[in-house]
Short mmCIF file of all heavy atoms in Angstrom, two decimals:
data_model
loop_
_atom_site.label_atom_id
_atom_site.label_comp_id
_atom_site.label_asym_id
_atom_site.label_seq_id
_atom_site.Cartn_x
_atom_site.Cartn_y
_atom_site.Cartn_z
N PRO M 17 0.81 -1.23 0.00
CA PRO M 17 0.00 0.00 0.00
C PRO M 17 0.84 1.28 0.00
O PRO M 17 0.43 2.28 -0.61
CB PRO M 17 -0.85 -0.11 1.26
CG PRO M 17 -0.28 -1.21 2.07
CD PRO M 17 0.54 -2.07 1.16
N THR M 18 1.99 1.27 0.64
CA THR M 18 2.84 2.47 0.63
C THR M 18 3.36 2.74 -0.76
O THR M 18 3.39 3.90 -1.21
CB THR M 18 4.01 2.32 1.62
OG1 THR M 18 3.48 2.09 2.93
CG2 THR M 18 4.89 3.55 1.64
N ARG M 19 3.75 1.70 -1.48
CA ARG M 19 4.23 1.90 -2.85
C ARG M 19 3.12 2.41 -3.75
O ARG M 19 3.35 3.23 -4.63
CB ARG M 19 4.85 0.61 -3.39
CG ARG M 19 6.19 0.30 -2.73
CD ARG M 19 6.95 -0.77 -3.45
NE ARG M 19 6.52 -2.11 -3.14
CZ ARG M 19 7.00 -2.85 -2.15
NH1 ARG M 19 7.92 -2.38 -1.35
NH2 ARG M 19 6.55 -4.08 -1.96
N ARG M 20 1.89 1.94 -3.52
CA ARG M 20 0.76 2.45 -4.32
C ARG M 20 0.53 3.93 -4.01
O ARG M 20 0.20 4.71 -4.92
CB ARG M 20 -0.49 1.62 -4.07
CG ARG M 20 -0.37 0.20 -4.64
CD ARG M 20 -1.70 -0.53 -4.66
NE ARG M 20 -2.34 -0.65 -3.37
CZ ARG M 20 -2.18 -1.67 -2.51
NH1 ARG M 20 -1.39 -2.69 -2.83
NH2 ARG M 20 -2.83 -1.70 -1.36
N LEU M 21 0.72 4.34 -2.76
CA LEU M 21 0.58 5.77 -2.43
C LEU M 21 1.66 6.59 -3.13
O LEU M 21 1.39 7.70 -3.61
CB LEU M 21 0.66 5.99 -0.92
CG LEU M 21 -0.56 5.62 -0.10
CD1 LEU M 21 -0.29 5.79 1.39
CD2 LEU M 21 -1.76 6.47 -0.51
N ILE M 22 2.88 6.06 -3.18
CA ILE M 22 3.95 6.77 -3.88
C ILE M 22 3.59 6.94 -5.35
O ILE M 22 3.76 8.02 -5.92
CB ILE M 22 5.30 6.02 -3.71
CG1 ILE M 22 5.76 6.09 -2.26
CG2 ILE M 22 6.36 6.58 -4.66
CD1 ILE M 22 6.96 5.20 -1.93
N LEU M 23 3.06 5.89 -5.97
CA LEU M 23 2.63 5.99 -7.37
C LEU M 23 1.51 7.02 -7.52
O LEU M 23 1.52 7.81 -8.48
CB LEU M 23 2.17 4.62 -7.89
CG LEU M 23 3.26 3.56 -8.02
CD1 LEU M 23 2.65 2.23 -8.41
CD2 LEU M 23 4.33 3.98 -9.01
N ASP M 24 0.56 7.03 -6.58
CA ASP M 24 -0.51 8.02 -6.62
C ASP M 24 0.06 9.44 -6.57
O ASP M 24 -0.41 10.33 -7.30
CB ASP M 24 -1.47 7.84 -5.43
CG ASP M 24 -2.32 6.59 -5.55
OD1 ASP M 24 -2.46 6.04 -6.66
OD2 ASP M 24 -2.86 6.15 -4.50
N GLU M 25 1.05 9.64 -5.74
CA GLU M 25 1.66 10.97 -5.64
C GLU M 25 2.41 11.34 -6.92
O GLU M 25 2.39 12.49 -7.33
CB GLU M 25 2.60 11.04 -4.43
CG GLU M 25 1.87 11.03 -3.10
CD GLU M 25 0.83 12.12 -2.98
OE1 GLU M 25 1.10 13.27 -3.41
OE2 GLU M 25 -0.27 11.83 -2.48
N LEU M 26 3.03 10.37 -7.56
CA LEU M 26 3.73 10.66 -8.82
C LEU M 26 2.75 10.90 -9.96
O LEU M 26 3.09 11.59 -10.93
CB LEU M 26 4.71 9.54 -9.16
CG LEU M 26 5.92 9.44 -8.24
CD1 LEU M 26 6.76 8.22 -8.57
CD2 LEU M 26 6.76 10.71 -8.30
N VAL M 27 1.54 10.35 -9.86
CA VAL M 27 0.51 10.66 -10.86
C VAL M 27 0.11 12.13 -10.72
O VAL M 27 -0.02 12.85 -11.70
CB VAL M 27 -0.73 9.75 -10.68
CG1 VAL M 27 -1.92 10.28 -11.46
CG2 VAL M 27 -0.42 8.34 -11.11
N GLU M 28 -0.06 12.58 -9.48
CA GLU M 28 -0.45 13.97 -9.24
C GLU M 28 0.63 14.95 -9.65
O GLU M 28 0.35 16.01 -10.19
CB GLU M 28 -0.78 14.18 -7.76
CG GLU M 28 -2.16 13.71 -7.39
CD GLU M 28 -2.57 14.19 -6.01
OE1 GLU M 28 -2.14 15.28 -5.59
OE2 GLU M 28 -3.32 13.45 -5.37
N LYS M 29 1.89 14.60 -9.37
CA LYS M 29 3.00 15.50 -9.70
C LYS M 29 4.22 14.66 -10.01
O LYS M 29 4.87 14.12 -9.12
CB LYS M 29 3.30 16.45 -8.54
CG LYS M 29 4.41 17.43 -8.84
CD LYS M 29 4.64 18.36 -7.66
CE LYS M 29 5.73 19.37 -7.99
NZ LYS M 29 7.06 18.89 -7.61
N SER M 30 4.53 14.52 -11.27
CA SER M 30 5.70 13.75 -11.70
C SER M 30 6.96 14.58 -11.48
O SER M 30 6.91 15.80 -11.35
CB SER M 30 5.55 13.37 -13.17
OG SER M 30 6.45 12.35 -13.50
N GLY M 31 8.09 13.90 -11.41
CA GLY M 31 9.36 14.60 -11.28
C GLY M 31 9.66 15.08 -9.88
O GLY M 31 10.28 16.12 -9.70
N GLN M 32 9.25 14.32 -8.88
CA GLN M 32 9.49 14.73 -7.49
C GLN M 32 10.82 14.18 -6.98
O GLN M 32 11.25 13.10 -7.36
CB GLN M 32 8.38 14.20 -6.58
CG GLN M 32 7.02 14.82 -6.85
CD GLN M 32 6.01 14.35 -5.84
OE1 GLN M 32 6.18 14.52 -4.64
NE2 GLN M 32 4.95 13.73 -6.33
N THR M 33 11.41 14.92 -6.06
CA THR M 33 12.60 14.46 -5.37
C THR M 33 12.18 13.58 -4.20
O THR M 33 11.00 13.55 -3.83
CB THR M 33 13.43 15.64 -4.83
OG1 THR M 33 12.64 16.32 -3.85
CG2 THR M 33 13.86 16.58 -5.94
N LEU M 34 13.14 12.89 -3.61
CA LEU M 34 12.86 12.07 -2.43
C LEU M 34 12.27 12.93 -1.33
O LEU M 34 11.31 12.52 -0.66
CB LEU M 34 14.15 11.38 -1.96
CG LEU M 34 14.06 10.53 -0.69
CD1 LEU M 34 13.07 9.39 -0.86
CD2 LEU M 34 15.43 10.00 -0.32
N PHE M 35 12.82 14.11 -1.12
CA PHE M 35 12.32 15.02 -0.09
C PHE M 35 10.85 15.36 -0.33
O PHE M 35 10.03 15.33 0.59
CB PHE M 35 13.16 16.31 -0.04
CG PHE M 35 12.64 17.31 0.94
CD1 PHE M 35 12.91 17.17 2.29
CD2 PHE M 35 11.88 18.39 0.51
CE1 PHE M 35 12.41 18.09 3.21
CE2 PHE M 35 11.39 19.31 1.42
CZ PHE M 35 11.66 19.16 2.77
N GLU M 36 10.50 15.68 -1.57
CA GLU M 36 9.11 16.02 -1.89
C GLU M 36 8.17 14.84 -1.64
O GLU M 36 7.09 15.00 -1.07
CB GLU M 36 8.98 16.45 -3.35
CG GLU M 36 9.60 17.80 -3.65
CD GLU M 36 9.55 18.11 -5.13
OE1 GLU M 36 10.19 17.40 -5.92
OE2 GLU M 36 8.84 19.08 -5.49
N ILE M 37 8.58 13.65 -2.06
CA ILE M 37 7.75 12.47 -1.86
C ILE M 37 7.54 12.21 -0.38
O ILE M 37 6.41 11.98 0.08
CB ILE M 37 8.37 11.24 -2.56
CG1 ILE M 37 8.36 11.44 -4.08
CG2 ILE M 37 7.61 9.96 -2.19
CD1 ILE M 37 9.18 10.43 -4.85
N CYS M 38 8.62 12.28 0.40
CA CYS M 38 8.51 12.08 1.85
C CYS M 38 7.58 13.11 2.48
O CYS M 38 6.76 12.76 3.34
CB CYS M 38 9.89 12.17 2.51
SG CYS M 38 10.99 10.80 2.12
N SER M 39 7.71 14.35 2.07
CA SER M 39 6.86 15.42 2.61
C SER M 39 5.39 15.18 2.30
O SER M 39 4.53 15.32 3.17
CB SER M 39 7.28 16.78 2.05
OG SER M 39 8.59 17.09 2.45
N ARG M 40 5.10 14.81 1.08
CA ARG M 40 3.71 14.57 0.68
C ARG M 40 3.13 13.37 1.42
O ARG M 40 1.97 13.40 1.84
CB ARG M 40 3.61 14.39 -0.83
CG ARG M 40 3.88 15.69 -1.59
CD ARG M 40 3.95 15.45 -3.08
NE ARG M 40 2.66 15.15 -3.64
CZ ARG M 40 1.95 15.98 -4.41
NH1 ARG M 40 2.42 17.18 -4.68
NH2 ARG M 40 0.79 15.61 -4.90
N LEU M 41 3.92 12.30 1.58
CA LEU M 41 3.42 11.13 2.31
C LEU M 41 3.15 11.47 3.77
O LEU M 41 2.17 11.00 4.35
CB LEU M 41 4.43 9.97 2.22
CG LEU M 41 4.60 9.33 0.85
CD1 LEU M 41 5.71 8.29 0.89
CD2 LEU M 41 3.30 8.70 0.37
N SER M 42 4.00 12.29 4.34
CA SER M 42 3.84 12.68 5.74
C SER M 42 2.66 13.63 5.94
O SER M 42 1.81 13.40 6.81
CB SER M 42 5.13 13.35 6.23
OG SER M 42 4.97 13.86 7.52
N MET M 43 2.59 14.66 5.15
CA MET M 43 1.56 15.70 5.32
C MET M 43 0.19 15.23 4.85
O MET M 43 -0.81 15.42 5.53
CB MET M 43 1.96 16.97 4.56
CG MET M 43 3.33 17.48 4.91
SD MET M 43 3.39 18.73 6.15
CE MET M 43 2.43 20.03 5.52
N LYS M 44 0.14 14.63 3.69
CA LYS M 44 -1.13 14.29 3.06
C LYS M 44 -1.71 12.97 3.58
O LYS M 44 -2.92 12.83 3.73
CB LYS M 44 -0.92 14.21 1.55
CG LYS M 44 -2.16 14.18 0.73
CD LYS M 44 -1.78 14.30 -0.73
CE LYS M 44 -2.95 14.10 -1.63
NZ LYS M 44 -2.55 14.14 -3.03
N HIS M 45 -0.83 11.99 3.83
CA HIS M 45 -1.30 10.66 4.19
C HIS M 45 -0.97 10.28 5.64
O HIS M 45 -1.26 9.17 6.06
CB HIS M 45 -0.70 9.62 3.23
CG HIS M 45 -1.04 9.87 1.81
ND1 HIS M 45 -2.28 9.59 1.27
CD2 HIS M 45 -0.31 10.41 0.80
CE1 HIS M 45 -2.30 9.94 -0.01
NE2 HIS M 45 -1.12 10.44 -0.32
N ARG M 46 -0.31 11.19 6.34
CA ARG M 46 0.05 10.96 7.75
C ARG M 46 0.90 9.70 7.93
O ARG M 46 0.76 8.99 8.92
CB ARG M 46 -1.19 10.88 8.63
CG ARG M 46 -2.11 12.06 8.55
CD ARG M 46 -1.55 13.21 9.34
NE ARG M 46 -2.50 14.32 9.37
CZ ARG M 46 -2.18 15.55 9.05
NH1 ARG M 46 -0.97 15.83 8.66
NH2 ARG M 46 -3.06 16.50 9.11
N LEU M 47 1.77 9.44 6.97
CA LEU M 47 2.67 8.28 7.07
C LEU M 47 3.95 8.70 7.77
O LEU M 47 4.63 9.63 7.33
CB LEU M 47 3.01 7.74 5.68
CG LEU M 47 2.01 6.82 5.03
CD1 LEU M 47 2.55 6.34 3.69
CD2 LEU M 47 1.69 5.62 5.89
N GLY M 48 4.30 8.01 8.82
CA GLY M 48 5.55 8.27 9.52
C GLY M 48 6.61 7.31 9.04
O GLY M 48 6.96 6.37 9.75
N ILE M 49 7.10 7.53 7.84
CA ILE M 49 8.10 6.64 7.25
C ILE M 49 9.38 7.43 7.01
O ILE M 49 9.33 8.60 6.63
CB ILE M 49 7.55 6.01 5.94
CG1 ILE M 49 8.50 4.97 5.40
CG2 ILE M 49 7.21 7.04 4.92
CD1 ILE M 49 7.92 4.13 4.26
N SER M 50 10.51 6.79 7.25
CA SER M 50 11.80 7.46 7.10
C SER M 50 12.14 7.68 5.62
O SER M 50 11.59 7.01 4.74
CB SER M 50 12.90 6.63 7.75
OG SER M 50 13.10 5.43 7.02
N ARG M 51 13.08 8.57 5.39
CA ARG M 51 13.56 8.80 4.02
C ARG M 51 14.17 7.52 3.47
O ARG M 51 13.99 7.20 2.30
CB ARG M 51 14.60 9.92 4.00
CG ARG M 51 14.01 11.30 4.21
CD ARG M 51 15.10 12.35 4.35
NE ARG M 51 16.06 12.34 3.28
CZ ARG M 51 16.11 13.21 2.28
NH1 ARG M 51 15.23 14.18 2.22
NH2 ARG M 51 17.02 13.14 1.35
#
């Protein structure tokens, strides 16, 4: 499910850095996952 969320985020905005992906997962999905 976490990988599917990452794909969902890349659908919304392609070309993200690791920092951006981590931020979106944390803020939008409340995932407490490390970089």
Side-chain angles (χ1 to χ4, degrees):
T18 301
R19 289 193 279 271
R20 291 192 303 269
L21 284 175
I22 292 170
L23 293 174
D24 289 341
E25 290 305 318
L26 290 175
V27 166
E28 280 192 31
K29 182 179 182 270
S30 196
Q32 293 185 58
T33 64
L34 177 61
F35 177 79
E36 289 175 296
I37 294 169
C38 290
S39 296
R40 291 173 71 107
L41 291 175
S42 174
M43 306 265 301
K44 193 172 172 183
H45 302 284
R46 305 283 186 232
L47 278 182
I49 186 170
S50 68
R51 287 173 53 104

